[in-house]
Amino acid sequence: MESVYIHIPFCENICTYCDFCKVIYHGPWITQYLNALINEIQDKYNKEEIKTLYIGGGTPSYLTPKDLNYLFSIIKKLNLSKELEFTFECNLNDINEEVLTILKDNGVNRLSIGIQSFNEDKLKFMGRNHTFTEAEEALKLCRDMGFNNINLDLIYGIPGETLKDLKKDIELFLKLNPEHISTYSLIVEDNTKISNDGVLPIKEELDASMYELICDKLKDKKYNHYEISNFSKEGYECKHNLHYWNNEEYYGFGVGASGYVDGIRYDNTRSLTDYFKGKTRLREEILSKEDKMYNELMLGFRKIEGISLKEFFKKYEINMQEAFNLNEVLKKNEILVKNERIFINPKYLYVMNEILIKILWFISVFLCYTINSRRL
């Protein structure tokens, strides 16, 4: 395990679309939470050198300076690499000189800022409130404080949003000149405000046009489209998230966090009460070799460069084409093979899920054959 994710669930307010584990900030809970976090890390962490660390939420930047310093004192118990990529999620309205100084002094070298949009109607729909001028000032302060690796989140596909609206958002994001942009089409998740309000997703044709617009605009500005939803300037790909997409193991600490350790995928409890009592794990799944191969495909095909056939063989001692019958999707050029890598044809990226469903059918046939072979 070379990567750690730490979840901080506290927020000033709850966004209408958010289904992550979160709770409205309540001061007395913070110390309890961080004490429980210490206990989980001491119980589960095996002293490996950590090369990527990501603190997300929730809104970790909403913690007080005192709480932030306590959090970083916990993090110092980890064996951190000198080449550590250390990402910290920030809300735009929380960015100030005091907070940035604490982050800088404690080794944070990558900021991920949840802007989402500058369109007033979209922001109101999402339960957010900020302006482009505020974003300009905040990013200037970040640059002045020495942060030169900044991600901005963009959400699109809001009901009522037009291509013209999205184009304007993209132009404003590009004016801020971030090193990395993560884009997300709105998903109406269960148990969110917009789901409870009966909000419906936009039409698929419009969603596809919006995705194509984003890809074209960011490509024109020399952003590398390296994962289905992520774009970066050269050399600024998110190493932490690539760790996930490469199907590598990682620790997940905190309420609602997920992890993958020693061949076991797990989800932590979403209950603060249970977490305070040390009842951290909600569920665990021991993965078979076939499960791991399946995940390798599902995660690896999210990357634009796809999956290394050499690495697949090195991990599983079987050729990928031998393991899974991909002839149909290869014949249709939905999947391509080049330079010993297998990947989704770029012109079919938007319908990637449909392609994966086909692959899933082939995988299920393979798994049935494997299981039956073991019984003979």
Side-chain angles (χ1 to χ4, degrees), residues 305 307-311 337-343:
E305 69 173 10
I307 301 163
S308 164
L309 296 174
K310 281 187 176 180
E311 285 299 313
V337 177
K338 184 178 180 181
N339 297 328
E340 298 197 51
R341 301 193 71 89
I342 186 166
F343 54 95

Side-chain angles (χ1 to χ4, degrees), residues 65-300:
K66 178 183 176 182
D67 294 330
L68 283 173
N69 282 316
Y70 186 18
L71 171 61
F72 284 117
S73 73
I74 296 169
I75 288 167
K76 288 175 182 176
K77 299 180 184 298
L78 302 173
N79 177 18
L80 302 176
S81 168
K82 292 181 179 179
E83 287 76 41
L84 177 72
E85 179 195 80
F86 190 170
T87 304
F88 195 93
E89 285 188 355
C90 294
N91 189 7
L92 185 63
N93 299 325
D94 297 333
I95 293 175
N96 58 55
E97 187 171 345
E98 183 178 24
V99 168
L100 292 178
T101 297
I102 294 171
L103 301 187
K104 191 71 177 178
D105 288 347
N106 286 281
V108 173
N109 52 27
R110 184 175 185 272
L111 301 178
S112 183
I113 305 174
I115 288 179
Q116 318 306 359
S117 177
F118 292 113
N119 180 288
E120 288 187 13
D121 291 335
K122 289 175 64 177
L123 290 171
K124 184 177 180 180
F125 173 87
M126 292 185 281
R128 302 178 69 87
N129 180 29
H130 54 251
T131 66
F132 177 73
T133 299
E134 289 171 339
E136 273 190 315
E137 293 172 352
L139 263 74
K140 182 180 184 305
L141 180 59
C142 292
R143 301 297 188 191
D144 291 344
M145 298 287 290
F147 291 97
N148 60 6
N149 189 355
I150 297 176
N151 169 68
L152 302 181
D153 288 344
L154 166 68
I155 288 183
Y156 67 97
I158 303 295
E161 182 180 12
T162 66
L163 285 169
K164 183 178 179 181
D165 294 332
L166 177 58
K167 182 180 178 183
K168 181 64 175 177
D169 253 348
I170 297 170
E171 290 171 350
L172 292 174
F173 270 64
L174 290 171
K175 280 187 177 181
L176 296 173
N177 195 30
E179 284 71 29
H180 192 284
I181 298 177
S182 297
T183 67
Y184 305 97
S185 175
L186 179 74
I187 299 176
V188 181
E189 302 282 7
D190 292 340
N191 302 314
T192 59
K193 185 180 184 302
I194 58 174
S195 175
N196 295 336
D197 289 345
V199 171
L200 298 176
I202 64 171
K203 292 186 180 297
E204 187 172 341
E205 294 81 3
L206 177 57
D207 190 84
S209 297
M210 288 181 166
Y211 182 72
E212 183 178 357
L213 175 65
I214 290 170
C215 294
D216 290 344
K217 290 293 183 183
L218 296 188
K219 182 179 179 181
D220 287 345
K221 294 299 181 178
K222 309 302 181 185
Y223 281 84
N224 174 33
H225 188 190
Y226 72 98
E227 191 271 343
I228 189 76
S229 300
N230 287 272
F231 305 78
S232 75
K233 293 183 178 181
E234 186 176 354
Y236 286 94
E237 296 83 1
C238 180
K239 295 176 184 177
H240 183 85
N241 286 343
L242 281 169
H243 199 81
Y244 296 153
W245 300 320
N246 288 329
N247 197 30
E248 302 294 342
E249 296 193 345
Y250 61 96
Y251 288 106
F253 297 128
V255 66
S258 298
Y260 178 29
V261 175
D262 294 335
I264 298 173
R265 287 198 178 271
Y266 65 86
D267 297 314
N268 274 1
T269 179
R270 294 172 71 98
S271 165
L272 276 179
T273 301
D274 285 347
Y275 191 73
F276 291 164
K277 294 177 180 177
K279 301 175 182 178
T280 57
R281 294 285 171 88
L282 178 64
R283 64 177 64 88
E284 295 182 347
E285 179 187 6
I286 300 174
L287 300 187
S288 66
K289 178 180 177 180
E290 289 78 15
D291 293 331
K292 294 174 184 177
M293 291 164 57
Y294 163 82
N295 288 334
E296 194 84 16
L297 265 70
M298 296 302 104
L299 294 168

